[in-house]
């Protein structure tokens, strides 16, 4: 399923079989690929495409030609030598290449990936259940780490990433407060089932101040809203690649050492840590599956908020 032009539907196309070009690359048969809001941002021109046409999809469960199951995340290649790579921050590599943006991704039957960026997956999860761990899980986990030892944790936007990170946070002994679109009672009930002690509309204040908030939704107005929900010293962590404009807010909302920060991409260390932790929680994903040729429908359903948990495309 190919994005030929941004702002236009994905197209079903027959492409030549991808071929591994050098010894570090693996030829892979795709088993499942989860849908991320970044795919939708690329489809909808909210972030710029670097290559067109492109096969989207960067949460790929695949098998190697010798039968091993591997997972491919968003980080597809780094140079290993820039100042970020040399300081343990390969997520910021100046020449990084990302799966499903710079490299053809997983809304396909086959793909090619750099073996150094492929990971073993928890054996007890099926292909479709494991796929959402590879971006929502990994980058959500990086965002969770940036909340430090926050006990009272707000999650703004309770989609694919939040439904996994809620389980991890509860496992770590944190108290989770889940915020959804106003009136989305099914998602609020879903959050309570996964261990959130409170769930409500993002327009409501939480029942008590928060130590940290992670914003998964792409709505910039949530940044000042979340800041106002924090106790002094608290932080707001923005986990998405794109947000709508942030409205002006009073310095009083930031005063007393409150912080706002973004999270960009992931490192292989994040992947290793999260994929080791996930079976211990254990993280259980709620997935809606789509056939490969329904990938455009999966993106439309994500845009409209028509499923809870994660969407997964299965060839
Ligand atoms: Zn993603
Ligand atoms: Zn680098």
């Amino acid at each position: 399923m190919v994005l030929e032009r941004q702002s236009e539907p994905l197209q079903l196309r027959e492409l030549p079989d991808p071929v591994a070009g050098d010894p570090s690359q693996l030829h892979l048969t795709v088993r499942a690929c989860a849908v991320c809001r970044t795919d939708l941002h690329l489809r909808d021109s909210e972030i710029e495409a670097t290559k067109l046409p492109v096969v989207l999809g960067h949460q790929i469960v695949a098998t190697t030609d010798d039968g091993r199951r591997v997972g491919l995340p968003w980080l597809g290649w780094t140079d290993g030598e820039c100042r970020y790579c040399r300081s343990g921050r390969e997520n910021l590599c100046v020449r990084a290449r990302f799966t499903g943006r710079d490299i053809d991704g997983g809304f396909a039957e086959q793909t090619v990936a750099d073996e150094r960026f492929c990971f073993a997956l928890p054996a007890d999860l099926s292909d479709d259940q494991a796929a959402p761990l590879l971006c929502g899980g990994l980058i959500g986990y990086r965002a969770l780490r940036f909340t430090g030892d926050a006990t009272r944790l707000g999650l703004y936007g309770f989609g694919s990433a939040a439904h996994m990170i809620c389980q991890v946070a509860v496992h770590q002994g944190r108290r989770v407060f889940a915020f959804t679109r106003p009136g989305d009672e099914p998602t609020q009930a879903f959050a309570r089932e996964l261990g959130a002690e409170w769930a409500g509309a993002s327009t409501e204040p939480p029942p008590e101040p928060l130590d940290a908030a992670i914003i998964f939704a792409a709505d910039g107005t949530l940044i000042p809203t979340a800041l106002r929900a924090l106790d002094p010293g608290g932080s707001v962590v923005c986990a998405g690649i794109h947000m709508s404009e942030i409205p002006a807010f009073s310095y009083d909302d930031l005063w007393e050492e409150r912080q706002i920060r973004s999270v960009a991409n992931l490192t292989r260390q994040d992947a290793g840590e999260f994929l080791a932790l996930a079976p211990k929680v254990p993280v259980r994903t709620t997935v809606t599956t789509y056939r490969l040729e329904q990938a455009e429908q999966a993106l439309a359903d994500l845009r409209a908020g028509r499923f809870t948990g994660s969407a997964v495309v299965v060839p």
Side-chain angles (χ1 to χ4, degrees):
M1 290 298 287
V2 180
L3 180 68
E4 295 187 332
R5 277 175 294 276
Q6 289 188 280
S7 302
E8 292 184 14
L10 306 188
Q11 301 292 334
L12 183 63
R13 293 281 183 259
E14 192 72 37
L15 301 177
D17 288 354
V19 177
D22 69 62
S24 65
Q25 288 187 319
L26 293 173
H27 172 264
L28 297 165
T29 303
V30 177
R31 306 287 298 264
C33 183
V35 178
C36 176
R37 189 160 288 275
T38 298
D39 302 314
L40 184 58
H41 290 318
L42 282 163
R43 153 71 177 77
D44 287 349
S45 312
E46 286 160 337
I47 56 175
E48 200 179 334
T50 52
K51 154 184 144 59
L52 288 171
V54 64
V55 179
L56 301 178
H58 56 268
Q59 309 184 74
I60 309 173
V61 178
T63 44
T64 62
D65 291 345
D66 58 8
R68 284 178 296 134
R69 185 170 84 147
V70 295
L72 283 67
W74 168 242
L75 188 69
W77 186 86
T78 56
D79 62 10
E81 60 185 34
C82 73
R83 64 197 173 97
Y84 294 106
C85 285
R86 283 187 281 110
S87 58
R89 295 179 291 168
E90 66 179 358
N91 59 308
L92 300 176
C93 175
V94 296
R95 281 179 285 270
R97 289 161 58 80
F98 296 104
T99 310
R101 191 191 74 168
D102 309 307
I103 306 167
D104 280 337
F107 295 164
E109 294 168 292
Q110 300 176 32
T111 194
V112 162
D114 188 312
E115 183 161 23
R116 294 167 294 179
F117 296 85
C118 295
F119 298 93
L121 293 167
D124 62 334
L125 292 178
S126 64
D127 298 330
D128 56 332
Q129 288 172 327
L133 270 54
L134 288 158
C135 186
L138 297 187
I139 296 181
Y141 175 70
R142 184 175 176 84
L144 180 64
R145 275 207 293 117
F146 287 143
T147 68
D149 60 2
T151 303
R152 296 165 301 178
L153 176 69
L155 301 178
Y156 285 79
F158 204 86
S160 181
H163 99 284
M164 292 179 274
I165 294 312
C166 177
Q167 298 172 56
V168 176
V170 170
H171 171 78
Q172 292 175 334
R174 305 179 198 247
R175 299 167 55 201
V176 174
F177 299 78
F179 298 84
T180 72
R181 297 182 213 211
D184 188 355
E185 273 148 34
T187 303
Q188 291 167 14
F190 180 56
R192 284 185 214 101
E193 275 168 39
L194 293 175
E197 75 170 56
W198 177 91
S202 57
T203 49
E204 292 176 54
E208 56 186 287
L210 304 174
D211 302 308
I214 305 175
I215 304 182
F216 291 109
D219 177 0
T221 69
L222 292 173
I223 292 180
T225 301
L227 267 181
R228 288 178 202 122
L230 295 180
D231 247 354
S235 46
V236 171
V237 180
C238 304
I241 194 169
H242 165 83
M243 293 184 93
S244 58
E245 194 155 287
I246 306 165
F249 56 89
S250 164
Y251 180 65
D252 294 345
D253 296 333
L254 189 61
W255 170 239
E256 295 175 313
E257 302 196 341
R258 293 176 181 86
Q259 305 182 55
I260 306 169
R261 73 169 300 165
S262 65
V263 168
N265 314 316
L266 69 140
T267 65
R268 282 174 279 181
Q269 188 177 338
D270 295 325
E273 284 178 22
F274 177 70
L275 293 171
L277 175 62
K280 293 181 187 145
V281 172
V283 175
R284 293 282 170 248
T285 52
T286 297
V287 301
T288 301
T289 58
Y290 295 81
R291 296 189 313 277
L292 177 57
E293 57 272 30
Q294 296 176 306
E296 175 66 21
Q297 185 63 47
L299 292 176
D301 290 351
L302 174 59
R303 191 189 294 110
R306 277 194 285 260
F307 54 79
T308 47
S310 311
V312 178
V313 169
V314 178

